[in-house]
Amino acid sequence: AAIHRAAYTGHLLAIDLLLKSGADANSDRHPYNMQPRHIAALRGHHGGVARLLRAGASPTARCSRGRTPAAWAARSSHHAVVELLDRAAAGDGVGRGGGDGSAAASGAEELRREASGGLSGADRAVGSWAVVRLAVLVAIGDGGATRHAACA
């Protein structure tokens, strides 16, 4: 999914636009059921992990290998990301309202409302097209290896 590619590259604008257009921060459309925050954590993208947490991503979800995002970050020696995820898991002010899930979920809903609020149908269509185009450009950035996955 495009949100996974944006998390992999750490492209914060792409992550923001995809989340605003309704992308699922908890999507597990990945061969190992990794969610975007697992991938961002593995790659050490602190800002990407923080944005995904604010959009409602759980800091303690496990992939099919049984690893949490913090475990992936630790394997790659991304200590600042491990600390961020540990604070989020403890409910220590990460994201909107401290990481209990309900406040973060309402934050994701706010992003969706903000993305469509006050726009005409034509303007929303243009905005949606811009998100798809950006997702394709993010995917092409890796030499096109996942070009089709970004369009799915």
Side-chain angles (χ1 to χ4, degrees), residues 97 114 127 136:
E114 180 183 309
V136 169

Side-chain angles (χ1 to χ4, degrees), residues 71-143:
W72 282 109
R75 287 176 61 89
S76 303
S77 299
H78 298 300
H79 305 294
V81 174
V82 172
E83 182 180 324
L84 171 70
L85 289 160
D86 287 346
R87 284 193 341 256
D92 195 16
V94 176
R96 296 178 186 209
D100 67 352
S102 61
S106 68
E109 182 57 34
E110 180 182 323
L111 286 173
R112 285 187 198 92
R113 278 196 312 272
E114 180 183 309
S116 63
L119 297 177
S120 70
D123 288 338
R124 273 195 300 276
V126 169
S128 296
W129 172 245
V131 170
V132 169
R133 184 168 182 246
L134 177 61
V136 169
L137 291 174
V138 168
I140 291 171
D142 72 345

Side-chain angles (χ1 to χ4, degrees), residues 12-93:
L12 299 180
L13 178 59
I15 291 170
D16 288 342
L17 288 173
L18 289 164
L19 290 171
K20 284 182 181 181
S21 69
D24 183 5
N26 294 304
S27 171
D28 61 0
R29 291 183 56 199
H30 183 274
Y32 297 111
N33 291 335
M34 292 176 81
Q35 297 172 359
R37 69 189 152 279
H38 290 100
I39 296 168
L42 170 67
R43 302 280 295 169
H45 298 306
H46 189 279
V49 171
R51 279 177 167 81
L52 291 162
L53 290 170
R54 281 193 300 270
S58 167
T60 58
R62 295 184 181 271
C63 66
S64 65
R65 293 184 177 182
R67 296 186 182 130
T68 64
W72 282 109
R75 287 176 61 89
S76 303
S77 299
H78 298 300
H79 305 294
V81 174
V82 172
E83 182 180 324
L84 171 70
L85 289 160
D86 287 346
R87 284 193 341 256
D92 195 16

